[in-house]
Amino acid sequence: MSRFLYWILFLSYCSLYAPFGAAEEAFAACVADLQRKARQQGLGPKIVDEVLGGVKFAPKVIELDRRQPEGDMPVLDSLATLACDQRRSEFFTTQLLTALHLIGPRGVEPDQMQGSWAGAMGHTQFMPETYKKYAVDGDGDSRVDLWNSIPDAMASAANFLAGLGWKTGLRWGREVVLPENFTYKEVGIQNRRPLNEWRELGIVTAFGGPIPQADVQAALLVPAGHQGPAFLVYDNFDVIMEWNRSEFYALAVGYLADRINGGGTLKQPPPDQPPLSIAQVKELQTRLNTLGFEAGEPDGILGPGTRRAIRALQHQRDMVADGYPAAAVLKELGISLE
């Protein structure tokens, strides 16, 4: 079968226009090609023929790839299926071949390799290339096991953060208190200022003390609006976001680390408002766009572009322009919280 025909058959399946048998045939041709590449990289017959030759087409992975939830699936099946999907074939082919190299020498067995629909593995959810580069033995047993060894997982996470540029001795950020009548146009991860400038704007620590005088750049985040907690975040916060590009994720990791290290609870808890569903955020984005506030493509993600659009709406309507989709904002747009 020519590679062109293989792609036609496989993409047809993904579009739900071809029978399952055609997709299986295309997948078999793709696996044969992957085996050829594996041999070229020096992988032995046991890995190439038994392990890679035994992977199964997982149609659910294609569905999950479009929706991107978390999942617990056979990593090699997931990676092989995605390597045979044209959308990101090159990336997942590299990840699959790297995963095969992890078998044996580093103590990973094929049936142990369970992970997400996209091939992220273990407590740390490392992709194979990240596993190969950063996973380390934390419990001294001469093997790396990110599924069953907490010391291995934690040491590997620390090694990964160090590799991403974590600065020892610098916090990720801190909770702060804003002065009354604060101008929220200063808010946002893209708006960096020296700590001294934030001090001059009247910002103090959560305990009411002065912000330290240090040669550090910081951004101000108010994830739950002006009625919730505020944070100044530093360079190490960006390092956490290299792991996961969500500000909410990075804030949760930083706050959890502080609690583990003996820190107390937030001085200003978030307001009691249920989180918006993906459908509600899409509706919010659509209505903002309709009104000319340019929230971007409605994707259900409450990112920086959507928050800027909310701030523009709030400013126009004489509301506190904190970029948070509070109940008052939703009411202005005719969106129900139900």
Side-chain angles (χ1 to χ4, degrees):
M1 179 188 297
S2 70
R3 289 186 62 80
F4 176 76
L5 180 56
Y6 142 64
W7 282 120
I8 293 296
L9 287 172
F10 194 82
L11 292 174
S12 295
Y13 168 79
C14 294
S15 299
L16 301 179
Y17 290 115
F20 184 78
E24 285 283 292
E25 183 182 357
F27 182 71
C30 177
V31 170
D33 187 55
L34 292 170
Q35 288 176 301
R36 176 183 60 80
K37 293 177 180 178
R39 292 188 188 97
Q40 289 176 345
Q41 292 193 4
L43 288 162
K46 182 176 178 64
I47 299 295
V48 174
D49 298 330
E50 296 182 22
V51 178
L52 183 53
V55 296
K56 298 178 181 179
F57 179 53
K60 187 176 181 181
V61 169
I62 301 298
E63 174 191 347
L64 294 176
D65 183 40
R66 305 306 190 250
R67 296 192 288 111
Q68 300 198 355
E70 294 298 322
D72 185 17
M73 307 184 69
V75 164
L76 296 178
D77 290 355
S78 296
L79 292 174
T81 300
L82 290 168
C84 293
D85 178 23
Q86 190 181 37
R87 201 160 72 99
R88 287 178 290 171
S89 176
E90 183 177 354
F91 172 79
F92 283 107
T93 295
T94 299
Q95 296 297 330
L96 173 63
L97 295 175
T98 301
L100 294 173
H101 279 287
L102 295 176
I103 297 173
R106 303 200 69 175
V108 180
E109 297 300 327
D111 59 357
Q112 181 185 16
M113 299 176 77
Q114 298 287 318
S116 76
W117 61 270
M121 303 182 292
H123 290 298
T124 53
Q125 289 290 277
F126 279 180
M127 292 298 290
E129 283 197 307
T130 305
Y131 196 116
K132 180 181 178 181
K133 187 174 182 180
Y134 294 107
V136 294
D137 175 17
D139 57 16
D141 66 355
S142 300
R143 59 192 300 267
V144 178
D145 184 351
L146 299 188
W147 290 268
N148 302 304
S149 171
I150 298 299
D152 285 5
M154 295 297 98
S156 298
N159 191 41
F160 183 37
L161 289 171
L164 292 175
W166 184 272
K167 297 179 180 178
T168 302
L170 178 67
R171 301 172 61 124
W172 64 272
R174 59 167 25 96
E175 186 184 3
V176 295
V177 175
L178 309 181
E180 293 185 12
N181 301 319
F182 182 76
T183 304
Y184 284 87
K185 67 180 181 180
E186 313 294 343
V187 167
I189 194 68
Q190 73 288 343
N191 187 17
R192 301 277 174 163
R193 289 172 174 262
L195 276 181
N196 287 340
E197 291 189 18
W198 293 117
R199 285 167 56 100
E200 292 171 1
L201 290 174
I203 296 177
V204 297
T205 71
F207 301 96
I211 295 173
Q213 291 187 347
D215 185 18
V216 173
Q217 295 284 319
L220 178 65
L221 301 180
V222 285
H226 68 284
Q227 294 182 324
F231 303 90
L232 282 177
V233 297
Y234 313 139
D235 288 346
N236 280 344
F237 184 82
D238 296 334
V239 173
I240 301 174
M241 287 191 63
E242 286 293 319
W243 195 324
N244 186 306
R245 296 304 303 173
S246 166
E247 292 179 11
F248 295 104
Y249 174 91
L251 285 169
V253 169
Y255 175 57
L256 176 60
D258 286 350
R259 293 299 306 276
I260 292 173
N261 201 35
T265 60
L266 294 174
K267 295 299 180 181
Q268 177 61 49
D272 186 18
Q273 176 176 315
L276 299 181
S277 67
I278 293 176
Q280 286 172 318
V281 175
K282 284 183 177 180
E283 184 180 5
L284 168 70
Q285 293 165 327
T286 299
R287 298 197 183 194
L288 286 168
N289 286 335
T290 300
L291 293 172
F293 292 108
E294 299 183 4
E297 183 69 23
D299 58 5
I301 299 173
L302 192 62
T306 303
R307 287 182 173 271
R308 283 194 296 270
I310 294 172
R311 280 198 292 272
L313 168 73
Q314 290 169 323
H315 181 73
Q316 185 191 79
R317 307 288 172 89
D318 293 324
M319 305 167 72
V320 176
D322 56 13
Y324 181 66
V329 171
L330 300 178
K331 184 178 180 180
E332 283 284 320
L333 294 172
I335 299 174
S336 172
L337 272 172
E338 298 298 326

